[in-house]
Amino acid sequence: MKAHKMFLNSIENKELFWAEQAEKIQWFKKPQNILSEGEHNYPIWFADGELNACYIAVDKHVEDGYGDQVAYIYDSPVTETIQKITFKELQENVSKFAGGLQSLGLKKGDTAIIYMPMIPQAAYAMLACARLGITHSVVFGGFAPHELAIRIDDCNPKVLITASAGVEVKKRVPYLPFVKEAYEMSAHKPENIVVFDRQLWGNKVDWENEPQLTNFQELLEKSEYVDCVPVASTHPLYILYTSGTTGKPKGVIRDTGGYATALKFSMKNIYGVNEGEVFWAASDIGWVVGHSFIIYGPLFNRNTSIIYEGKPIMTPDAGTTWRVIEQHKVSVMFTAPTAIRAIKKEDPNGELIKKYDISSLRTQFLAGERCDVATLDWYEEKVGITPIDHWWQTESGWPMLSLMPGVETAEIKRASAGKPVPGYDIKIFDEEGYELEPHHEGYLVIKLPLPPGALLGIWGDYERFHYGYLAKFPGYYFSGDGAIKDEEGYVFISGRVDDIINVAGHRLSTAEMEEAVSGHKDVAECCVVGIDDDLKGQIPFGLAVLKSGVEITEENLEKEVVALVREKIGAVACLRNIVVVKRLPKTRSGKILRKLIRTMLDGKEFQIPSTIDDETIITELEEKFLEYRK
Ligand code: COA
Ligand code: AMP
């Protein structure tokens, strides 16, 4: 009831509610104007407030006497490193690196791209940008040069900050060749490329022969400490690109003041963590979870956050999660269901769990994709804690559906991602925009205004923002997910209603993959859909129609197309399967029937849509899929 009361208060007295929450962070100039309209009449929060995210995350804690508390634990089983960084040390590294960026001519209002693995220097770079009011855009390390180049051309960074390499299990993944390729491809050329040389296994950057590169560490060491620069509450702290329904990713813009308010609120009320405790989000800084709950949220709340470089399995085994919990006394953890499935597959009886004392763990949160009940049950049985599934998106920046153990203990309903959290007035609509009764599946929408912290728009593309999110149901934000509510207000997410898929907790666009597949010289037409996968939740699967007269075996086509997608999007795209078909199933108006293809590939019962232009294709596809499975 407490959480429900809080929710009602946040909707009925929104300005008062969020003004109170905003009191819990530090402002250089307190906002008087709590909710107003920004450009294109879009609602914005705390418009006249001024603050600095790096100050709230770092300097404030040092000033308050917590300089010796550990801010980040860098735990990297892949390099056998554990490093603890106190708030004082973090302040020194961040402020000096900010000094370095300043010496390169960067200032408030500029943009920077950060393309780095899970190392503390990535956090220094993000926080240093925030310190100076430089808007950062972190690009996930699993993306290929082409993806990096698209982002460079979209946000025109003055600097690109990177590292010499990442590590995937035992493999060194060089980043520099990718960066150089992206630089060649992009029309915009960042003025500086700053590289942290990890010197992994004897591999060093050849600085003498790479005069165009700036040495991260040297820049940091030779620079002066600089102070935090006050920015307006609506100043873009970052741009985070995410997959949309076209081939081009969209740059979600995050503000500063609303975000800081929302994250502080989330840490306390949703995750239920107290200052000083250890919080671990096992994600990557390239995703929104990394931004909100590895880098910013825990620090805003003076928690110790873990920067984990490794997988849940193989580094060195499926017990690594429990080892980290024991070793660092993690109180609250966040991961994706796929990570639990991977652990379960390796250690079905939970033998590795028994090796560790994980009694510090109070709550386990899951998100990023649908959590199947079997995974939840396994976790509950083996670990003794029922995980809390919660739902949100890059766009929201913080949870929209969840239970709130920070406020009260509530019943966990299997397969539900919880109830709307304060600020998110969630409804389930039918196609015409009428609210549906409980137990009816429809579109998950949110009444405007969205609460503080949610996206300000799409970088440089208001039209896309408007048509993608606001136009379908005027006055509401359209999430792109389908869902069902029950009579108690619990929401059950049924999945995306667009062409976005979720592969191992990574959000990917099938449209983007289709662009890559169509790039193959022999492909006339293609379609990529997400099919069910026991481990990764979903995996992409492609159908290709060949140009007439082409002679290529299906096997060779598959090989070449898989390589092409990897080259264009990156290893993370995980497209492994392509079949050649004579034609694609379409409606009479020429739309590809993706849902039909998906259902057939999943081996589920399907209905032939009445709009199909030629029913005989069904037998053709059934035969093809059967042959492929064999
Ligand atoms: N840099 C470079 N390459 C990367 C990368 C990175 N940061 N992240 C992934 N890749 C590569 C992998 O090496 C792999 O390449 P390969 O095909 O050559 O082996 C490919 O991209 C696919 O990676 P991934 O999807 O991670 O699959 P996996 O089989 O290596 O591991 C899991 C499977 C389930 C263990 C892993 O995906 C996982 O831990 N998922 C949790 C995801 C998560 O936390 N999501 C955040 C949302 S909360
Ligand atoms: P991302 O923007 O990468 O965080 O991906 C957001 C998308 O992931 C959502 O729109 C959902 O489709 C999916 N998602 C996230 N969390 C959940 C969840 N708990 N249950 C089901 N789907 C989820």
Side-chain angles (χ1 to χ4, degrees):
M1 261 343 257
K2 246 172 115 186
H4 187 59
K5 261 197 189 153
M6 200 187 227
F7 169 78
L8 288 180
N9 192 17
S10 77
I11 302 300
E12 285 159 11
N13 308 304
K14 44 180 80 64
E15 293 192 48
L16 211 63
F17 181 87
W18 288 111
E20 262 176 37
Q21 302 309 323
E23 289 285 328
K24 295 172 187 161
I25 59 161
Q26 296 73 41
W27 297 83
F28 294 150
K29 182 175 164 228
K30 278 211 170 140
Q32 304 301 320
N33 189 358
I34 303 302
L35 178 61
S36 54
E37 283 187 348
E39 267 183 69
H40 306 285
N41 304 329
Y42 186 67
I44 51 171
W45 292 92
F46 315 126
D48 59 344
E50 282 183 18
L51 74 170
N52 183 286
C54 181
Y55 176 77
I56 306 173
V58 184
D59 298 59
K60 176 71 174 61
H61 306 313
V62 178
E63 284 173 19
D64 288 350
Y66 296 101
D68 293 331
Q69 185 193 310
V70 175
Y72 289 122
I73 300 172
Y74 168 51
D75 186 313
S76 169
V78 293
T79 58
E80 296 179 353
T81 313
I82 291 183
Q83 184 193 348
K84 295 188 177 175
I85 301 143
T86 64
F87 277 106
K88 182 85 197 61
E89 288 162 345
L90 184 63
Q91 185 188 42
E92 193 169 321
N93 281 298
V94 169
S95 59
K96 289 184 80 177
F97 189 64
L101 291 178
Q102 206 171 51
S103 72
L104 296 177
L106 276 108
K107 55 182 188 321
K108 177 165 143 182
D110 289 335
T111 52
I113 277 194
I114 299 172
Y115 182 64
M116 289 180 111
M118 290 292 289
I119 53 176
Q121 287 71 22
Y124 302 163
M126 290 167 79
L127 290 163
C129 286
R131 194 170 189 88
L132 296 179
I134 298 164
T135 301
H136 63 66
S137 184
V138 180
V139 179
F140 177 60
F143 282 128
H146 172 70
E147 289 291 318
L148 182 56
I150 292 177
R151 287 154 174 81
I152 293 174
D153 279 335
D154 198 67
C155 75
N156 298 342
K158 213 167 183 175
V159 63
L160 199 158
I161 307 166
T162 188
S164 50
V167 184
E168 279 292 293
V169 190
K170 289 196 177 98
K171 192 174 70 187
R172 179 178 172 273
V173 183
Y175 276 36
L176 265 184
F178 276 19
V179 167
K180 285 181 190 162
E181 232 181 283
Y183 186 87
E184 290 305 316
M185 274 180 203
S186 60
H188 171 84
K189 307 290 177 199
E191 286 168 23
N192 296 283
I193 300 179
V194 180
V195 185
F196 180 71
D197 189 2
R198 297 188 74 186
Q199 307 195 359
L200 285 171
W201 303 303
N203 292 281
K204 290 188 184 165
V205 175
D206 182 2
W207 298 109
E208 270 185 20
N209 289 311
E210 305 268 18
Q212 78 286 12
L213 304 179
T214 304
N215 185 325
F216 183 111
Q217 196 56 30
E218 270 182 18
L219 183 67
L220 187 154
E221 279 165 17
K222 72 174 191 210
S223 298
E224 297 294 322
Y225 172 108
V226 292
D227 250 329
C228 296
V229 174
V231 299
S233 176
T234 52
H235 181 78
L237 175 63
Y238 65 77
I239 306 162
L240 181 55
Y241 287 87
T242 189
S243 301
T245 49
T246 69
K248 192 179 170 217
K250 42 192 181 184
V252 166
I253 309 171
R254 186 82 56 220
D255 74 336
T256 305
Y259 189 53
T261 304
L263 292 190
K264 176 76 188 170
F265 175 81
S266 310
M267 294 304 295
K268 280 266 173 217
N269 298 282
I270 299 176
Y271 296 108
V273 253
N274 301 315
E275 285 85 350
E277 288 190 305
V278 181
F279 182 85
W280 180 23
S283 181
D284 188 285
I285 50 148
W287 308 116
V288 69
V289 179
H291 281 67
S292 297
F293 297 114
I294 296 176
I295 301 301
Y296 289 109
L299 264 54
F300 288 160
N301 198 43
R302 193 172 52 75
N303 292 117
T304 299
S305 176
I306 298 181
I307 298 177
Y308 175 75
E309 188 181 31
K311 304 252 170 193
I313 50 174
M314 300 179 290
T315 51
D317 59 26
T320 185
T321 300
W322 323 118
R323 192 269 303 158
V324 172
I325 294 173
E326 176 188 280
Q327 192 163 354
H328 307 308
K329 307 231 168 346
V330 174
S331 296
V332 177
M333 185 187 172
F334 178 153
T335 191
T338 192
I340 306 298
R341 285 196 297 269
I343 296 171
K344 176 177 145 202
K345 191 163 168 243
E346 297 289 313
D347 182 25
N349 299 321
E351 294 303 330
L352 292 167
I353 305 173
K354 294 178 199 152
K355 279 177 60 183
Y356 301 95
D357 173 7
I358 55 167
S359 56
S360 64
L361 187 68
R362 195 163 61 233
T363 327
Q364 172 73 64
F365 281 87
L366 297 176
E369 50 161 343
R370 250 168 70 86
C371 177
D372 53 291
V373 174
T375 300
L376 197 99
D377 286 347
W378 180 85
Y379 191 100
E380 185 181 70
E381 189 193 321
K382 304 296 177 213
V383 180
I385 292 174
T386 313
I388 298 181
D389 183 10
H390 67 322
W391 171 85
W392 51 296
Q393 307 176 308
T394 304
E395 289 85 344
S396 68
W398 60 286
M400 297 190 271
L401 286 172
S402 186
L403 298 183
M404 299 181 61
V407 176
E408 67 179 10
T409 309
E411 183 200 350
I412 295 174
K413 283 198 186 180
R414 278 156 164 65
S416 165
K419 296 182 182 182
V421 307
Y424 286 104
D425 192 1
I426 290 178
K427 311 217 178 279
I428 312 297
F429 274 7
D430 70 8
E431 188 66 41
E432 270 74 49
Y434 291 107
E435 190 170 0
L436 287 165
E437 292 293 313
H439 301 288
H440 285 79
E441 186 177 342
Y443 298 113
L444 192 157
V445 300
I446 304 157
K447 195 169 188 311
L448 296 176
L450 295 180
L455 79 172
L456 277 191
I458 298 298
W459 188 254
D461 200 345
Y462 176 74
E463 294 289 291
R464 198 166 179 200
F465 176 49
H466 179 74
Y467 288 107
Y469 301 99
L470 309 176
K472 190 168 169 73
F473 300 112
Y476 291 83
Y477 165 90
F478 171 51
S479 68
D481 276 288
I484 298 168
K485 236 189 209 184
D486 73 8
E487 56 291 313
E488 287 181 286
Y490 283 82
V491 179
F492 299 74
I493 301 289
S494 50
R496 296 290 307 192
V497 294
D498 53 20
D499 298 330
I500 288 168
I501 59 171
N502 234 295
V503 182
H506 309 317
R507 172 167 160 182
L508 300 166
S509 154
T510 52
E512 225 170 335
M513 291 188 218
E514 283 173 7
E515 257 183 35
V517 178
S518 337
H520 189 282
K521 62 179 187 351
D522 295 337
V523 173
E525 201 182 6
C526 74
C527 160
V528 176
V529 295
I531 61 166
D532 291 347
D533 182 75
D534 284 349
L535 176 66
K536 299 196 175 189
Q538 278 187 308
I539 48 164
F541 191 103
L543 273 65
V545 178
L546 295 182
K547 288 179 182 162
S548 59
V550 159
E551 282 188 22
I552 184 167
T553 63
E554 192 164 40
E555 205 185 351
N556 282 345
L557 182 89
E558 190 170 65
K559 246 189 244 156
E560 288 174 24
V561 164
V562 166
L564 198 62
V565 170
R566 210 180 159 93
E567 181 199 312
K568 289 269 182 224
I569 301 176
V572 71
C574 278
L575 180 74
R576 305 259 192 277
N577 312 96
I578 286 276
V579 292
V580 174
V581 290
K582 284 194 214 117
R583 55 197 176 130
L584 295 170
K586 290 188 183 166
T587 62
R588 281 187 283 279
S589 58
K591 247 182 114 189
I592 298 172
L593 290 161
R594 293 161 198 283
K595 193 170 170 200
L596 173 72
I597 300 173
R598 229 169 36 224
T599 322
M600 289 180 77
L601 282 164
D602 284 337
K604 292 184 185 149
E605 255 183 55
F606 60 89
Q607 277 189 333
I608 303 172
S610 56
T611 51
I612 196 163
D613 72 340
D614 179 5
E615 269 190 42
T616 59
I617 193 173
I618 300 288
T619 325
E620 248 170 70
L621 288 179
E622 275 179 325
E623 282 168 6
K624 184 74 214 180
F625 296 160
L626 195 69
E627 183 194 322
Y628 187 81
R629 276 196 201 101
K630 275 188 197 152

